[in-house]
Amino acid sequence: GVKNAVRGALEQGLTRILTPKQSMDILRDIKSSQAQGRPYVIVFVGVNGVGKSTSLSKVCFWLKSQGLKVLLAACDTFRSGAVEQLKTHAARLDVPVYEKGYNKDAASIAMDAVKHAQSNHFDVVLVDTAGRMQDNEPLMRALSKLVNLNNPDLVLFVGEALVGNDSIDQVTKFNQALKETAYGSGKPRLIDGIMLTKFDTIDDKVGAAVSMVYSTGQPVVLVGVGQTYTDLKKLNAHNIVKLLLR
């Protein structure tokens, strides 16, 4: 009846929103970088305290389990303890870290890390950056410089699935700030995709994912679903829609 028709239409509409416009297949893209003889570079960005380093480590674990050689780049040269935190993860994951300590220019550290990766035949460079609020102009400017100068393959915004509308606000404003503080004269590099953390505790907050994708047009590429390195999943639009329409 009418109820089923409405439900069907809703299901289709939501699935369409959550299905990225361009398909994001990180492993396929890494293969094409390998074919060009260069490392694939992912930069992790986001506000303070959303678990960027942990998210980066989960991605590292996943890529390593695919037999890829991964280098971590410590470009959070702002928060004290950030480099050590990344080194702790790296030791557990048995991957090297490229670092130059603190209070240095993060953009040039990233650039050196990519050069190092290239000459030592790494497949992937994962770049950790300092958490920053989107209204902190000097820090946003520094991030713009990093992403525009290095032109990474993927800029991943790490956000919490818990914050509801705040997270949408964050992604939109973060992108806006990257536009406004654009470094150089080319087309500014913006966020390519979203990685949501704390996706294990939400049930009713799955709506955050829908609204983030809808309002930013950015796909949710990966979701963190727990505390350990293996707790990483690709977002399954079909399952999410089922959850929402329960």
Side-chain angles (χ1 to χ4, degrees), residues 20-26 28-29:
K21 288 172 193 59
Q22 78 279 24
S23 89
M24 274 250 174
D25 185 337
I26 294 175
R28 183 198 60 206
D29 295 345

Coordinates of all heavy atoms in Angstrom, one line a residue, residues 20-26 28-29:
P20 N 28.5 7.6 -2.9 CA 29.3 8.7 -3.4 C 29.2 8.9 -4.9 O 29.0 7.9 -5.6 CB 30.7 8.3 -3.0 CG 30.6 6.9 -2.5 CD 29.2 6.6 -2.2
K21 N 29.3 10.1 -5.3 CA 29.2 10.5 -6.8 C 30.3 9.8 -7.5 O 30.1 9.3 -8.6 CB 29.1 12.0 -6.9 CG 27.8 12.6 -6.5 CD 27.9 14.1 -6.5 CE 26.7 14.7 -5.7 NZ 26.7 14.3 -4.3
Q22 N 31.5 10.0 -7.0 CA 32.6 9.3 -7.7 C 33.0 8.2 -6.8 O 33.0 8.3 -5.6 CB 33.8 10.2 -8.0 CG 34.7 10.6 -6.8 CD 34.1 11.7 -5.9 OE1 32.9 11.9 -5.9 NE2 35.0 12.3 -5.2
S23 N 33.3 7.0 -7.4 CA 33.6 5.9 -6.5 C 34.9 6.0 -5.9 O 35.8 6.5 -6.5 CB 33.5 4.6 -7.3 OG 34.7 4.3 -7.8
M24 N 35.0 5.7 -4.6 CA 36.3 5.8 -3.9 C 36.8 4.5 -3.6 O 36.3 3.7 -2.8 CB 36.0 6.5 -2.5 CG 35.9 8.0 -2.6 SD 37.4 8.6 -1.7 CE 37.2 10.3 -2.1
D25 N 37.8 4.1 -4.4 CA 38.4 2.8 -4.1 C 39.9 3.0 -3.9 O 40.7 3.1 -4.8 CB 38.2 1.9 -5.4 CG 38.7 0.5 -5.1 OD1 39.5 0.3 -4.2 OD2 38.2 -0.4 -5.8
I26 N 40.2 3.1 -2.6 CA 41.5 3.5 -2.2 C 42.6 2.5 -2.7 O 43.6 2.9 -3.2 CB 41.6 3.7 -0.7 CG1 40.8 4.9 -0.2 CG2 43.1 4.0 -0.2 CD1 40.6 5.1 1.2
R28 N 42.4 0.5 -5.2 CA 42.6 0.6 -6.7 C 43.5 1.8 -7.0 O 44.4 1.8 -7.9 CB 41.2 0.7 -7.4 CG 41.3 0.8 -8.9 CD 40.0 1.4 -9.4 NE 39.7 2.7 -8.9 CZ 38.5 3.3 -8.8 NH1 37.5 2.6 -9.2 NH2 38.4 4.5 -8.4
D29 N 43.2 3.0 -6.3 CA 44.0 4.2 -6.6 C 45.5 4.0 -6.2 O 46.3 4.6 -6.8 CB 43.4 5.4 -5.8 CG 42.0 5.7 -6.4 OD1 41.6 5.2 -7.5 OD2 41.2 6.4 -5.7

